[in-house]
Amino acid sequence: MSQDMENRRRQVLIVDDEIVNRLMLGNILNSEYDVLYAGDGLEAMEILHAQSNRISCIMLDILMPRMDGREFLRQRRNDEKLCMIPVIVLTSEVGSEVETLDLGASDFLKKPYDDEKVILARVRRLVELTENRRIIQSTERDQLTGLYTKQYFYEYVTQQEYYSPGRLMDVVVLNIEKFHLVNEIYGRVYGDNVLRETAAAIRRNLGDQGGIECRTDGDVFYIYLPHQEDYNSLRDRLQTSLDTQFPKARVRLRIGVCLMKPDEDIEIERRCDRAKSACDTVKDIYTSPVAFYDEDMQQKSLLSMRMISEVESAIEKRQLQAYFQPKFDITGPVPILCSAEALVRWNHPELGMISPGAFIPLFEKNGLIQKVDYHVWREAAAQVSAWKEEYGVSIPVSVNISRIDLYDPGLVDKLTGILKEFDLSYDEFYLEVTETAYVGDEKHIVDTIMSLQELGFHIEMDDFGSGYSSLGMLTSLPVDILKMDMKLVRDICRSRKNRYLVSSVIKLAHYMSMRVVAEGVEEKEQCDLLREEGCDVIQGWYFSKPLPADQFTRFIKEKKQAEGKG
Ligand code: C2E
Ligand code: MG
Ligand code: MG
């Protein structure tokens, strides 16, 4: 606060029709305050509307002409700004104290007035309390929407549950679909208006139900409200409000609900998490924008929690293993084993075999993927080295690099460290980076891949054609080998158009000196067509599913035999 602000005196408004009373009280107060005067409620209202934010306290007589003190209190109570200014009622009327306190007054002074010091002390105390309250309010409310902030939301819900136990209350999480696009397309001011209107619509629809609402991060709203069966109509009403206000933006709402079950004692934070998980399940699903947290989701989130808590010990106990799927070179007359891809499996003692689809996305969200990948890379490298030693053949293995790994500043050191540890060359340890990692304008990621390539690593672009990249992109990216996604492969026998597409991908890749791998090849027909189109390498169930290392040796032995004969 500047010196100037600190020295500025606060203002007190005295409202009394008796000039003598006004002056008497004014004389007492003006030793500490700037005093303003009004002769009745109406005049007071005029002064307040002109400068409400500068007045710290109102001293109010009850019996006055035109607008008396009671009416003044009633009108003040309904005014958002005025109700923040505390009122001390001046009264000689016996029995009016309780009534005026009920109307919103904070304190009262009896006429004739007490000792001067007592009056000053009471005003001072009231002003101080009100200012403190305002500071709290400025942090309890979200500035943009006027709803509570998350922290206060939790606080007030907890309080309400304590004082009204046993009431069935649900939690709703409301989210605006692709809100970032609203901001990007229509600008921030428009985006802010959408958020404000969403909050206003929530208040209008739920204001009198005794609920509590807040806005949390960006476009996420939490609502705590009495249990109801039907949430579609609530969502539709809110949606209609937004459609009316923002017809061109087509803002879509989705909501997730955590119904409260009787006798279930779960803290509010967890109930919000549940409603949020439910809300996430209807992301981008425009036909059913309402979801309820249910048994299934509960099982899923329990499983996620379990996997997160167990993964590190699972790595130690070697429950996480690398499986190997062979890749065959089909450029010659007979397919020849040329390399393999390491794919992780979790062999869980109680849950059985868990496939990577069940945990990789989860671990990518919380960064645990880095530990998993490092473990799989080392297992794969150890295996290449063991095969070399045992059979005298070098089978290069590709490992998967998650997008998250590419943010790790220690990535290059980790990978080169592994090569050193197992005495492998760059030609024995390839890196598969999924197409999606290249997407977006993250120069940093492309630079990291480029520096790995410059060191000597062979980079395979995984899942090419799964929908994100274009052929044009390939010309500027660090890629040595193109792995066509199984979707492209699957459709190759189904339509001529797809065959042309695959054919041109292969030609373009060759033109840029990239080899082409087709993954997910399940049938002979696919294999034959790919060979005709010039594809170099094939990976898929047609040859083999991913296998544990000891079973993979079958292919190595076959290869040795064939080479011996050749
Ligand atoms: P990906 O790297 O594209 O691996 C190919 C997936 O296709 C593997 O699934 C493989 O088992 C499956 N597959 C292979 N041939 C066929 C086939 O002929 N037909 C069908 N329908 N599927 C086939 P998987 O092992 O379940 O792995 C799924 C994805 O999980 C992988 O896709 C990869 O993105 C990720 N992943 C697997 N292991 C790791 C790992 O160690 N680290 C990281 N970061 N990701 C991994
Ligand atoms: Mg892969
Ligand atoms: Mg793939």
Side-chain angles (χ1 to χ4, degrees):
M1 205 183 280
S2 72
Q3 197 61 33
D4 183 40
M5 287 289 282
E6 269 176 20
N7 292 339
R8 185 173 287 162
R9 282 160 48 113
R10 289 173 175 78
Q11 290 188 349
V12 173
L13 173 64
I14 299 175
V15 192
D16 198 322
D17 58 329
E18 296 279 345
I19 296 177
V20 181
N21 286 343
R22 279 207 304 261
L23 291 180
M24 230 162 71
L25 191 56
N27 270 340
I28 297 172
L29 293 176
N30 70 16
S31 61
E32 283 187 29
Y33 300 94
D34 281 348
V35 182
L36 304 174
Y37 298 98
D40 57 48
L42 268 186
E43 198 184 332
M45 280 293 174
E46 275 166 27
I47 295 174
L48 285 164
H49 283 132
Q51 48 184 320
S52 65
N53 52 356
R54 296 195 46 208
I55 292 171
S56 299
C57 184
I58 301 166
M59 317 294 290
L60 181 72
D61 185 25
I62 290 295
L63 297 176
M64 292 182 294
R66 299 209 303 164
M67 183 194 285
D68 69 7
R70 289 185 180 84
E71 181 54 25
F72 176 89
L73 284 171
R74 272 184 216 106
Q75 291 199 13
R76 165 192 166 272
R77 195 160 58 174
N78 294 327
D79 186 307
E80 214 175 300
K81 273 192 184 157
L82 300 192
C83 70
M84 307 289 282
I85 308 173
V87 176
I88 297 178
V89 165
L90 314 169
T91 177
S92 49
E93 230 184 288
V94 182
S96 65
E97 295 93 335
V98 175
E99 186 199 354
T100 50
L101 289 176
D102 280 348
L103 281 170
S106 302
D107 199 355
F108 50 88
L109 285 178
K110 279 242 154 70
K111 293 181 194 171
Y113 298 124
D114 288 336
D115 178 0
E116 192 171 307
K117 282 194 191 122
V118 175
I119 294 176
L120 276 169
R122 285 171 93 159
V123 173
R124 212 180 293 132
R125 179 83 188 119
L126 187 59
V127 168
E128 195 180 283
L129 281 174
T130 311
E131 287 176 357
N132 287 345
R133 171 85 194 128
R134 271 199 202 139
I135 292 170
I136 292 173
Q137 273 182 343
S138 71
T139 57
E140 85 178 347
R141 297 279 175 181
D142 163 38
Q143 299 286 326
L144 183 70
T145 61
L147 297 184
Y148 287 119
T149 55
K150 185 158 77 177
Q151 196 188 352
Y152 279 88
F153 171 82
Y154 286 153
E155 188 66 38
Y156 292 139
V157 170
T158 311
Q159 246 179 47
Q160 186 158 323
E161 304 236 302
Y162 180 78
Y163 289 111
S164 322
R167 272 179 86 196
L168 273 190
M169 301 293 283
D170 299 336
V171 173
V172 170
V173 165
L174 179 142
N175 191 264
I176 300 174
E177 199 79 71
K178 296 204 172 63
F179 181 67
H180 65 281
L181 287 183
V182 175
N183 267 338
E184 265 165 41
I185 299 171
Y186 300 102
R188 254 203 112 73
V189 173
Y190 191 92
D192 283 353
N193 282 337
V194 170
L195 294 173
R196 255 187 234 111
E197 176 53 31
T198 308
I202 292 173
R203 267 201 226 99
R204 274 198 304 276
N205 279 282
L206 297 166
D208 51 2
Q209 292 189 18
I212 301 175
E213 302 93 16
C214 79
R215 179 173 80 111
T216 68
D217 334 298
D219 60 335
V220 182
F221 296 82
Y222 290 177
I223 307 165
Y224 170 82
L225 74 176
H227 172 66
Q228 49 196 66
E229 293 296 328
D230 172 27
Y231 277 97
N232 281 301
S233 64
L234 168 65
R235 186 257 163 206
D236 291 349
R237 270 180 279 138
L238 297 175
Q239 181 67 54
T240 308
S241 295
L242 289 184
D243 288 346
T244 318
Q245 294 276 334
F246 309 100
K248 69 177 177 178
R250 300 180 142 263
V251 179
R252 301 280 308 168
L253 297 176
R254 63 183 148 96
I255 66 177
V257 187
C258 174
L259 298 175
M260 189 178 182
K261 295 187 194 121
D263 305 325
E264 206 174 34
D265 184 18
I266 304 175
E267 66 226 17
I268 180 64
E269 286 90 338
R270 297 251 329 270
R271 277 148 67 197
C272 290
D273 287 346
R274 289 178 168 195
K276 205 158 184 276
S277 327
C279 192
D280 286 345
T281 63
V282 283
K283 196 172 181 173
D284 295 331
I285 301 180
Y286 289 74
T287 44
S288 55
V290 178
F292 291 84
Y293 185 80
D294 59 17
E295 203 54 37
D296 242 27
M297 275 180 227
Q298 183 159 8
Q299 290 308 326
K300 245 197 196 151
S301 75
L302 285 177
L303 178 64
S304 297
M305 268 153 55
R306 183 166 177 186
M307 291 196 292
I308 289 170
S309 70
E310 290 182 8
V311 65
E312 287 179 59
S313 78
I315 291 175
E316 268 167 40
K317 293 179 194 150
R318 314 205 55 189
Q319 291 172 11
L320 284 170
Q321 295 163 355
Y323 271 42
F324 297 88
Q325 187 175 33
K327 297 183 187 178
F328 284 84
D329 186 318
I330 56 160
T331 53
V334 281
I336 295 172
L337 173 71
C338 61
S339 57
E341 174 174 11
L343 292 156
V344 67
R345 297 287 179 269
W346 186 339
N347 197 346
H348 195 283
E350 284 157 35
L351 303 170
M353 192 64 89
I354 314 175
S355 70
F359 56 87
I360 299 271
L362 175 70
F363 295 159
E364 279 180 334
K365 268 193 215 146
N366 53 32
L368 283 168
I369 188 67
Q370 293 192 17
K371 289 200 170 128
V372 172
D373 277 348
Y374 186 62
H375 168 72
V376 175
W377 301 339
R378 286 193 70 247
E379 283 234 315
Q383 200 53 60
V384 176
S385 160
W387 284 329
K388 221 161 52 169
E389 203 160 292
E390 202 168 332
Y391 299 99
V393 283
S394 158
I395 309 287
V397 167
S398 317
V399 294
N400 287 285
I401 309 282
S402 154
R403 184 184 168 88
I404 311 300
D405 296 319
L406 295 165
Y407 290 103
D408 175 7
L411 177 68
V412 175
D413 287 345
K414 275 185 191 158
L415 289 168
T416 49
I418 289 174
L419 292 193
K420 218 182 251 165
E421 182 182 353
F422 296 99
D423 193 21
L424 301 182
S425 74
Y426 293 114
D427 296 332
E428 294 169 305
F429 196 78
Y430 288 18
L431 310 179
E432 289 192 12
V433 182
T434 175
E435 178 195 69
T436 47
Y438 290 89
V439 178
D441 46 10
E442 287 196 49
K443 189 174 168 305
H444 166 75
I445 290 213
V446 175
D447 286 350
T448 306
I449 304 173
M450 207 169 278
S451 60
L452 288 165
Q453 191 191 39
E454 277 163 10
L455 272 174
F457 281 105
H458 300 273
I459 309 290
E460 301 188 41
M461 185 192 263
D462 205 354
D463 308 327
F464 178 80
S466 56
Y468 294 93
S469 54
S470 65
L471 283 170
M473 258 172 68
L474 285 178
T475 49
S476 57
L477 292 175
V479 181
D480 302 297
I481 298 165
L482 198 66
K483 276 192 89 171
M484 284 189 296
D485 191 60
M486 45 184 105
K487 223 168 49 201
L488 283 183
V489 172
R490 194 170 305 140
D491 295 339
I492 184 174
C493 301
R494 296 197 188 142
S495 82
R496 285 172 72 82
K497 221 167 93 186
N498 273 303
R499 187 166 170 177
Y500 286 139
L501 181 65
V502 167
S503 170
S504 33
V505 168
I506 295 173
K507 283 201 185 90
L508 187 81
H510 283 169
Y511 179 71
M512 290 188 290
S513 309
M514 295 175 194
R515 275 165 72 76
V516 180
V517 181
E519 63 180 335
V521 177
E522 296 179 357
E523 294 152 12
K524 181 168 186 311
E525 199 189 350
Q526 293 168 333
C527 184
D528 291 343
L529 280 180
L530 285 162
R531 190 204 300 267
E532 271 175 47
E533 295 301 345
C535 179
D536 305 287
V537 174
I538 280 196
Q539 176 185 352
W541 296 350
Y542 175 61
F543 286 114
S544 169
K545 290 201 168 176
L547 300 170
D550 57 343
Q551 290 179 36
F552 187 88
T553 51
R554 169 164 73 88
F555 291 104
I556 303 178
K557 286 178 193 155
E558 278 170 16
K559 180 182 164 89
K560 276 205 65 132
Q561 261 176 6
E563 281 171 358
K565 277 182 204 155

